[in-house]
Amino acid sequence: MKDQNCIFCKIANGEIPAATLYEDEDFRVILDLGPASKGHALILPKEHAANLYELPDALAGKAMILAKKIASKLSVALKCDGFNIVQNNGEAAGQTVFHFHIHLIPRYKGDTVNVTWQPGILTEEDKKEILEIFR
Ligand code: 5GP
Ligand code: ZN
């Protein structure tokens, strides 16, 4: 299903042109217009899902397999030194386009890309609370 107001629906379904690296019946993989590094690509499902929670399981599985395939190919071709696979859910997590997508970000030694965080401390209280969720 498409969302009439969603730019990634339009791109994924070919209504708005984008630099396409790969396409099949479920996905389009494009170059990001504001790349974090050379080769930064986005995996877009053709079906609208605002985020990972809304994405059907079958597409979630296929998306990760596709991430592996495209990142492996780019890694060899671009001779990058590493790869970040990033997927943001919600504004607080940095999501700006509310159509599920996976970022494939090639990393080069000495680049200035920042996907790091300050490590905190796992408190006993937090550990107990979170483990309880899965009991
Ligand atoms: P988010 O912040 O939602 O995880 O990532 C959205 C990404 O989409 C950003 O990296 C941004 O540069 C990219 N982007 C936004 N609009 C367009 C567009 O119209 N075309 C392409 N190719 N990328 C876009
Ligand atoms: Zn959409």
Side-chain angles (χ1 to χ4, degrees):
M1 194 135 89
K2 282 196 292 167
D3 178 331
Q4 297 301 331
N5 300 312
C6 174
I7 185 159
F8 278 5
C9 275
K10 294 191 173 109
I11 291 174
N13 291 283
E15 288 163 38
I16 293 178
T20 297
L21 307 183
Y22 172 91
E23 185 185 2
D24 63 24
E25 61 175 359
D26 297 315
F27 298 97
R28 182 184 295 270
V29 182
I30 63 169
L31 287 178
D32 195 298
L33 266 190
S37 65
K38 182 181 171 184
H40 182 170
L42 301 171
I43 296 180
L44 313 179
K46 291 185 174 179
E47 184 179 328
H48 182 81
N51 48 42
L52 180 62
Y53 324 120
E54 284 188 8
L55 191 69
D57 286 357
L59 284 179
K62 285 181 186 174
M64 190 48 90
I65 293 167
L66 189 53
K68 175 183 170 182
K69 189 168 161 176
I70 305 290
S72 303
K73 185 162 177 158
L74 280 176
S75 188
V76 172
L78 294 174
K79 299 184 175 62
C80 59
D81 304 302
F83 241 99
N84 289 118
I85 312 292
V86 177
Q87 198 275 308
N88 301 326
N89 296 284
E91 211 175 328
Q95 187 176 10
T96 58
V97 180
F98 294 89
H99 174 122
F100 172 90
H101 52 281
I102 296 177
H103 292 265
L104 306 176
I105 306 175
R107 298 300 305 272
Y108 304 89
K109 273 183 195 138
D111 69 25
T112 54
V113 178
N114 192 358
V115 285
T116 57
W117 55 87
Q118 271 312 110
I121 291 166
L122 178 61
T123 64
E124 280 305 312
E125 196 186 358
D126 284 356
K127 186 164 79 180
K128 201 166 156 240
E129 181 186 336
I130 295 153
L131 287 174
E132 201 57 47
I133 299 167
F134 290 90
R135 291 232 164 84

